[in-house]
Each structure stands twice: as structure tokens, then as C-alpha cells.
Amino acid sequence: MRTLIERLARVPLGAVGLAIALCSAMAAGHVLLVRHVHDTGGQEWPQWVARLTIESYWGLLPLAFVALWARRRQRTGRLGRIGAALLAAGPVAALLIAVAAVAWGGILRRGDLPASVMSLELLFYVMMLGVLVTGIAFLLDAGVRWWGAVLIVGLLADFVMPLALSAVYAVFGILLMVAALRSGGEAVSVEPAVEPAH
């Protein structure tokens, strides 16, 4: 686990920003696609195809947020660790559902997963709580307070207006990329694996 966190912490900030922006576009595309299908009476994509393509943002977006936390894991303390653990529910749920959907619908040709399996989607609510907790942890870290503000605003805005989450996080991703470019790649330094002795 420590090795994975170290590797996530070393992902260039610009790449994390690009991932967040792309996931935001995928989330918006998913909402618009479903709306279009319902308005026109068309057919939605097979579940296993959607899970491997446009709906993969369910796992990639929280993973990008975990990569941001990994860069600041010592400064965000216990609250940050709790937030990151909750965020990890997103990629885990997305992977489990994608594998099950491929096996059930793609290989066995039995259509969409049964409701009992789709109850795994409840883990996405755990992930959303992780976004909130991680956002608060970032707010308490003077170096990245704006990260926390954007994470929280994006999450809460999604409950108020359709596509608001996508818009806020797309801007967040772009700002991270711009900040990384302006600073020569690293707008926020990566913390060492072990805190220096005092």
C-alpha cells in the first residue's frame, strides 16, 4: 500500500489535473447521453461497454483525488488519511462492477447486472463522503486550501444543479495543469515518505 501511495504521489501534478478534467468531461457526457437516450426513446449502451468506457470516471476521478492527497499526506494528517481511505471506495467499486459487468453481460450475454450486485454502487456514497472529508483536510492545509474549497464546492454543487460537478472539476483540472506549467511541472512539492527528524 505504501508503494502505491508513493507512486501516486509522484504522478506529475499536470497529469493529475488532466485526469480530473477528462473525468469531468466524461461525467458530463454520461449525463447528456442518458438524457438524450431518454428524450429520444433510444437504447442505452450495454452496461459492460459503458463501465469500460464513459462510466470509468467513477473510478478514475476519486483515484486522481487520492493522488492529490498522496502529495500532501503528512500535512493533512489523520483527517486526510480517513478521507483517502473513503475515496478508495470509488475505484474499488468501479473495478468490481466493471469486472462483474464484463463477465455477466459481455461474456455470458445475460444483460445488465442484477440489483443485488449493483448494490455495490452504495460504495460510491462512501467515496462522496471521502471527497468531503479530503476537502476539509485540504482546507486545513495552508498550502492547498483552494484544493479543499474546490472539492467541497464541486461535490455540493452537484446536488443543486445538473452538470455543476463536471463544470467545477473541469476548471479545477485546468487550473492544476496551468499551475504545474507555470512552476515548471510541480506547483506543489511532493512530501518525503518519512518526515525529517526535528
Side-chain angles (χ1 to χ4, degrees), residues 120-138:
L120 284 169
E121 285 192 321
L122 292 173
L123 288 173
F124 291 128
Y125 291 105
V126 176
M127 177 265 292
M128 290 177 190
L129 180 60
V131 174
L132 182 61
V133 173
T134 304
I136 293 170
F138 285 152

Side-chain angles (χ1 to χ4, degrees), residues 38-59:
H38 289 169
D39 289 346
T40 60
Q43 283 255 338
E44 290 189 28
W45 292 358
Q47 186 186 52
W48 69 274
V49 173
R51 289 288 170 175
L52 292 180
T53 55
I54 198 165
E55 288 191 64
S56 59
Y57 69 87
W58 279 109

Side-chain angles (χ1 to χ4, degrees), residues 71-159:
R71 304 173 74 83
R72 307 293 291 184
R73 60 193 178 280
Q74 289 166 8
R75 291 180 185 268
T76 56
R78 180 177 295 172
L79 190 61
R81 289 192 296 276
I82 293 170
L86 294 171
L87 278 171
V92 169
L95 182 62
L96 290 174
I97 293 172
V99 170
V102 168
W104 185 260
I107 297 173
L108 299 178
R109 301 291 180 189
R110 295 190 178 181
D112 288 349
L113 288 167
S116 58
V117 178
M118 289 308 295
S119 63
L120 284 169
E121 285 192 321
L122 292 173
L123 288 173
F124 291 128
Y125 291 105
V126 176
M127 177 265 292
M128 290 177 190
L129 180 60
V131 174
L132 182 61
V133 173
T134 304
I136 293 170
F138 285 152
L139 280 175
L140 299 174
D141 179 356
V144 293
R145 283 195 175 124
W146 72 278
W147 289 6
V150 175
L151 255 64
I152 293 169
V153 167
L155 178 65
L156 298 180
D158 192 47
F159 294 100

